């Protein structure tokens, strides 16, 4: 068989540049370190790969909730984002940390004390349960009429659709929330962890000829760099078996290890016998009704759904939003 001629092969188009997503941790401490120049380049490389995974969201994403919570959201213009460690989503925290821990253990090398000490220290320091930073998330699905979600909320379910184009300004006080697509592919998750860990370990390895104090300082900075970027994975990784949910999350990372702006924004509700931390995301229509992030409300497969839709429409109008669509589910819980 003849070798193909150059004219028979067309190179794939180069990927278009994507504007980097705003980091969940915006005020990084490692930017003033002696190795800051290299870490900044590493961070740019990370977000150049990370950002395209979170572009092109659907027109609206849907938050499933019950009638009481929906009423509270529409009346107050506030949506709760809860600390991931206290939700069912805490499984994702343990899952993601388990992947990171496994990668660290694979890198441990008894013949390289600098590397092995760093991996051992990182395994403890990167445990989200020990972190001085709290990650708050509000969860959404791409579909507003999903049978699995209706079943989770029994016969009292609603889905609140928010326009993704209006979420750039949503956040807590001066800190905006980041919209992240949930990533389910295990191969992709492991590849992303491997590359960010490679970058941190390369910085640690560059200090091999430095003094003990300098090596310690660089290792601490590399840990901060890892922690700041791994919070992106904690916010976005989920087990592959949940792929059909097509989930998105609004995430806010706050430093809550000391009294300050981060802790002042945290509120608490009682659930399962203990206080659960959460923050309020402002989804009120700043700039008038047309600016409201609320695109539609879907009433689940409940009895008297038409009456429920009528009352929701009236509630929206009473809060200055007459443009949002209200509809009833086309599904049924029977069967």
């Amino acid at each position: 068989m003849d070798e193909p001629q150059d004219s028979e092969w067309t190179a794939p188009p180069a990927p278009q540049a994507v504007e980097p997503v705003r980091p969940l941790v915006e005020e990084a401490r490692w930017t003033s370190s002696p190795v800051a120049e290299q870490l900044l380049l590493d961070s740019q490389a990370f977000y150049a790969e990370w950002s395209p995974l979170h572009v092109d969201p659907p027109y609206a994403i849907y938050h499933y909730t019950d009638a009481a919570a929906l009423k509270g959201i529409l009346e107050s213009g506030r949506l709760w984002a809860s600390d991931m460690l206290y939700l069912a989503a805490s499984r994702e925290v343990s899952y993601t940390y388990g992947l990171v821990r496994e990668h660290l253990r694979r890198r441990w090398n008894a013949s390289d004390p600098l590397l092995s000490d760093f991996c051992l220290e990182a395994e403890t320091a990167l445990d989200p349960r020990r972190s001085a930073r709290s990650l708050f998330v509000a969860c959404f699905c791409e579909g507003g009429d999903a049978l699995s979600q209706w079943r989770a909320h029994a016969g009292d379910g609603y889905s609140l659709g928010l326009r993704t184009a209006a979420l750039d300004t949503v956040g807590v006080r001066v800190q905006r929330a980041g919209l992240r697509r949930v990533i389910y592919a295990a191969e992709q998750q492991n590849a992303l962890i491997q590359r960010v860990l490679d970058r941190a370990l390369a910085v640690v390895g560059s200090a091999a000829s430095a003094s003990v104090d300098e090596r310690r300082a660089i290792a601490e900075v590399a840990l901060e760099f890892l922690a700041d970027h791994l919070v992106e994975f904690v916010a976005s990784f989920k087990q592959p078996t949940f792929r059909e949910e097509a989930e998105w999350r609004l995430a806010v990372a706050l430093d809550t290890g000391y009294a300050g702006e981060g802790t002042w924004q945290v509120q608490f509700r009682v659930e399962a016998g203990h206080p659960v931390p959460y923050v309020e995301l402002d989804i009120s229509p700043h700039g008038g009704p047309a600016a409201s992030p609320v695109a539609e409300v879907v009433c689940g497969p409940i009895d008297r759904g038409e009456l429920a839709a009528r009352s929701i429409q009236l509630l929206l109008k009473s809060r200055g939003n007459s443009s949002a669509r209200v509809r009833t589910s086309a599904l049924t819980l029977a069967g």
Side-chain angles (χ1 to χ4, degrees):
M1 181 179 295
D2 295 336
E3 292 292 323
Q5 301 298 314
D6 290 345
S7 60
E8 297 177 4
W9 181 83
T10 302
Q16 294 184 349
V18 173
E19 183 178 352
V21 297
R22 187 175 59 256
L24 294 180
V25 180
E26 297 188 69
E27 296 183 4
R29 290 184 290 270
W30 46 265
T31 55
S32 59
S33 69
V35 289
E37 183 176 356
Q38 180 57 52
L39 290 177
L40 285 169
L41 291 174
D42 289 338
S43 187
Q44 291 171 5
F46 169 82
Y47 280 104
E49 179 181 21
W50 183 244
S51 298
L53 303 178
H54 305 280
V55 299
D56 298 327
Y59 172 76
I61 52 178
Y62 295 84
H63 178 71
Y64 284 77
T65 189
D66 59 27
L70 176 70
K71 175 178 176 292
I73 294 169
L74 294 180
E75 287 182 337
S76 67
R78 300 292 188 272
L79 177 69
W80 290 359
S82 298
D83 189 321
M84 283 192 72
L85 289 173
Y86 293 84
L87 297 178
S90 63
R91 293 189 301 267
E92 281 75 73
V93 176
S94 298
Y95 169 75
T96 303
Y97 174 63
L99 294 177
V100 173
R101 182 177 56 196
E102 182 61 28
H103 277 273
L104 287 168
R105 291 179 177 180
R106 290 176 187 171
R107 305 300 182 89
W108 189 88
N109 186 345
S111 63
D112 188 341
L114 182 63
L115 177 63
S116 60
D117 288 349
F118 178 80
C119 289
L120 288 172
E121 186 174 354
E123 185 174 334
T124 299
L126 297 176
D127 186 341
R129 295 167 298 183
R130 299 173 181 266
S131 176
R133 182 180 292 120
S134 296
L135 180 63
F136 299 88
V137 298
C139 301
F140 301 83
C141 292
E142 288 192 3
D145 195 7
L147 186 59
S148 61
Q149 294 295 325
W150 295 138
R151 285 174 171 164
H153 291 286
D156 192 23
Y158 296 82
S159 69
L160 174 67
L162 300 183
R163 294 186 298 114
T164 55
L167 297 180
D168 283 346
T169 60
V170 170
V172 288
R173 295 195 184 177
V174 297
Q175 184 166 342
R176 290 179 292 174
L179 183 62
R180 297 292 187 267
R181 186 196 307 267
V182 172
I183 296 169
Y184 300 94
E187 298 85 356
Q188 191 174 32
Q189 294 168 354
N190 282 294
L192 287 162
I193 292 172
Q194 178 176 320
R195 283 192 280 275
V196 74
L197 187 56
D198 283 344
R199 294 177 180 121
L201 291 175
V203 170
V204 173
S206 69
S209 60
S211 68
V212 173
D213 289 342
E214 289 174 329
R215 290 200 301 269
R216 167 54 51 189
I218 290 175
E220 290 177 354
V221 167
L223 275 178
E224 290 178 353
F225 170 85
L226 269 181
D228 286 358
H229 292 78
L230 290 180
V231 73
E232 297 277 1
F233 299 158
V234 174
S236 304
F237 285 3
K238 196 167 186 176
Q239 293 93 327
T241 52
F242 294 98
R243 184 189 303 269
E244 67 177 20
E245 294 180 352
E247 188 176 340
W248 289 75
R249 291 172 177 166
L250 273 173
V252 177
L254 295 177
D255 285 329
T256 52
Y258 60 92
E261 182 72 13
T263 54
W264 295 338
Q265 297 178 82
V266 181
Q267 302 184 55
F268 298 86
R269 69 180 187 273
V270 175
E271 191 172 293
H274 58 79
V276 174
Y278 71 93
V279 295
E280 291 185 335
L281 303 180
D282 185 356
I283 60 168
S284 57
H286 299 290
S292 174
V294 178
E296 75 167 345
V297 177
V298 182
C299 303
I302 58 178
D303 292 335
R304 307 178 76 188
E306 292 79 7
L307 284 179
R310 185 177 185 274
S311 66
I312 296 300
Q313 189 75 71
L314 183 58
L315 175 55
L316 285 165
K317 288 180 180 179
S318 72
R319 293 301 181 269
N321 187 343
S322 58
S323 62
R325 176 188 182 192
V326 180
R327 60 186 173 97
T328 58
S329 170
L331 305 175
T332 176
L333 291 176

